[in-house]
Amino acid sequence: AKDYDLRQYETAKWVSTVIRGETQKEAMRQGFWKLFHYIQGKNEKEMKIDMTVPVTCLVKSGCTDFKISFFVPFEHQDCPPQPTDTDVFIEERKAAALFVRSFGGFASPEKYAEEADALARTLRNRGQPFHEDFFYTAGYDSPFKLFNRHNEVWYFKK
């Protein structure tokens, strides 16, 4: 469709952390640094791992827990080093079909929510069944990139 994509993602491992009871913006900041320390060597193998994109954040309706995740690079998918921080964990996300809406600029929690609402409205209007109680935000750019930024919101297809 012109205002969203339907993508099929394969099963993959992500390194994640859950930040509880903070604003989404603060949770993203805290979660990013916990995961960044993991890829900088705070893991069992003391191995540096390349930064990947996207950085995702799981947003659940009416919930102040946010799961922040980095995609585990392809070369480490089979055997990612285990985190040494007890708040950081490796998770395997099952293959899934996702509805994706892309947008530019610097994304705030408010902008992500606005884009997720727009995607949800479009999906409902088109009779597309999806899991409405949560969505993921996906950021693809360093905070230092000023132009041509790429952000997404994801809903899982039912």
Side-chain angles (χ1 to χ4, degrees):
K2 69 174 174 41
D3 42 6
Y4 68 89
D5 296 326
L6 176 57
R7 295 187 196 149
Q8 182 66 40
Y9 282 94
E10 298 306 314
T11 299
K13 292 189 177 90
W14 295 70
V15 59
S16 302
T17 189
V18 175
I19 306 295
R20 293 181 168 80
E22 297 288 352
T23 64
Q24 185 178 344
K25 186 172 185 170
E26 179 59 18
M28 283 291 294
R29 189 189 70 73
Q30 287 183 26
F32 178 90
W33 286 110
K34 282 184 174 290
L35 299 174
F36 187 76
H37 293 309
Y38 167 81
I39 67 171
Q40 287 297 298
K42 195 172 180 184
N43 56 64
E44 279 182 347
K45 297 179 183 170
E46 296 183 357
M47 175 190 292
K48 280 195 170 202
I49 299 168
D50 290 337
M51 176 78 199
T52 60
V53 292
V55 175
T56 65
C57 177
L58 173 61
V59 180
K60 296 181 196 170
S61 300
C63 183
T64 58
D65 293 357
F66 299 97
K67 182 170 65 175
I68 318 305
S69 306
F70 287 3
F71 180 76
V72 173
F74 292 110
E75 62 268 25
H76 299 293
Q77 279 287 317
D78 289 339
C79 192
Q82 288 303 305
T84 53
D85 181 338
T86 55
D87 292 338
V88 176
F89 56 94
I90 303 294
E91 65 170 327
E92 184 171 271
R93 294 188 194 166
K94 299 295 178 212
L98 302 179
F99 293 110
V100 178
R101 180 178 171 96
S102 300
F103 60 98
F106 280 90
S108 63
E110 296 76 19
K111 180 67 173 163
Y112 278 124
E114 187 182 299
E115 295 291 337
D117 287 345
L119 176 56
R121 269 194 315 277
T122 300
L123 294 173
R124 279 188 216 104
N125 290 341
R126 301 215 176 128
Q128 292 283 7
F130 66 101
H131 294 277
E132 298 191 36
D133 52 335
F134 69 93
F135 66 91
Y136 278 91
T137 68
Y140 287 82
D141 301 303
S142 146
F144 306 109
K145 182 174 181 181
L146 301 180
F147 302 103
N148 299 317
R149 296 179 62 80
H150 183 80
N151 313 289
E152 296 175 347
V153 288
W154 301 346
Y155 276 111
F156 281 64
K157 183 177 179 171
K158 277 190 176 174

